[in-house]
Amino acid sequence: MDKRRMKKLILICFCLLVACRPKQMKFEQSKWNKSVDGFYDYRENMVNDLIENHLQKGMSYKNVIDLLGEPGNYMDIEPNEIVYEIMVDYEWNIDPMEGKDLYIKFGKDSTLINTRLEHWEH
C-alpha cells in the first residue's frame, strides 16, 4: 500500500473514532432528568460538565437535589451517598451489560465532599 492510501485510511479511521464517541455538552438542568423508556438521553454527554462546573465541594444536599432531582434508589451504596444513573446498555440481553453511575458523597454535615463516575461492565 502506498503512503497516500495509508494516510487516507488513517484519516478515515480517526474520523470514525471521533464520530462514535459521545458528544460532550454543557449541563442543562431541564434535560438532565429527561428520559425515554427509562433511558436518559443526555446525561452521558453532560456529566463531565456537571462534575467540573456545577457540583462543588461544600454544596448542600438540598442544593444537589434541587439541581439534579431525586437520586436513584440503590441498595449497595455507602451511607451519606447518593447515585444517579448516567447510562445503561443492555445490548441484546435482558440484564444490563454496561453502564455508568455518578456517585455523590456527603459529609456528616450534609455537604458534598466527593464525586466519582463509575463505569462498569459484566
Side-chain angles (χ1 to χ4, degrees):
M1 186 179 296
D2 65 25
K3 287 184 179 182
R4 274 181 68 182
R5 285 187 180 189
M6 183 60 102
K7 285 181 182 180
K8 283 183 182 181
L9 181 61
I10 290 171
L11 181 61
I12 290 170
C13 289
F14 177 76
C15 290
L16 288 173
L17 285 173
V18 169
C20 291
R21 70 174 198 202
K23 305 284 187 269
Q24 296 301 306
M25 59 189 289
K26 293 198 178 291
F27 172 77
E28 290 182 46
Q29 188 179 26
S30 62
K31 292 182 178 180
W32 177 257
N33 285 314
K34 186 176 181 180
S35 69
V36 176
D37 296 328
F39 294 96
Y40 297 101
D41 292 335
Y42 299 102
R43 286 186 177 184
E44 188 172 16
N45 299 338
M46 289 191 281
V47 72
N48 289 336
D49 183 62
L50 172 68
I51 292 169
E52 292 172 11
N53 300 310
H54 299 274
L55 294 176
Q56 304 297 320
K57 287 186 179 181
M59 206 173 165
S60 73
Y61 176 86
K62 181 188 180 320
N63 286 346
V64 172
I65 300 302
D66 288 347
L67 180 66
L68 302 179
E70 290 297 319
N73 187 11
Y74 292 84
M75 295 178 63
D76 297 333
I77 60 173
E78 298 287 323
N80 299 327
E81 192 170 55
I82 59 176
V83 181
Y84 291 91
E85 179 182 289
I86 302 303
M87 73 76 113
V88 176
D89 184 5
Y90 288 86
E91 294 180 6
W92 298 100
N93 203 331
I94 57 173
D95 294 321
M97 301 304 292
E98 178 183 14
K100 287 183 187 174
D101 297 306
L102 174 62
Y103 290 79
I104 303 173
K105 179 87 170 178
F106 296 91
K108 291 180 182 176
D109 61 352
S110 297
T111 59
L112 190 151
I113 58 174
N114 189 30
T115 60
R116 78 179 187 280
L117 189 60
E118 272 192 21
H119 179 221
W120 52 268
E121 294 180 284
H122 286 280

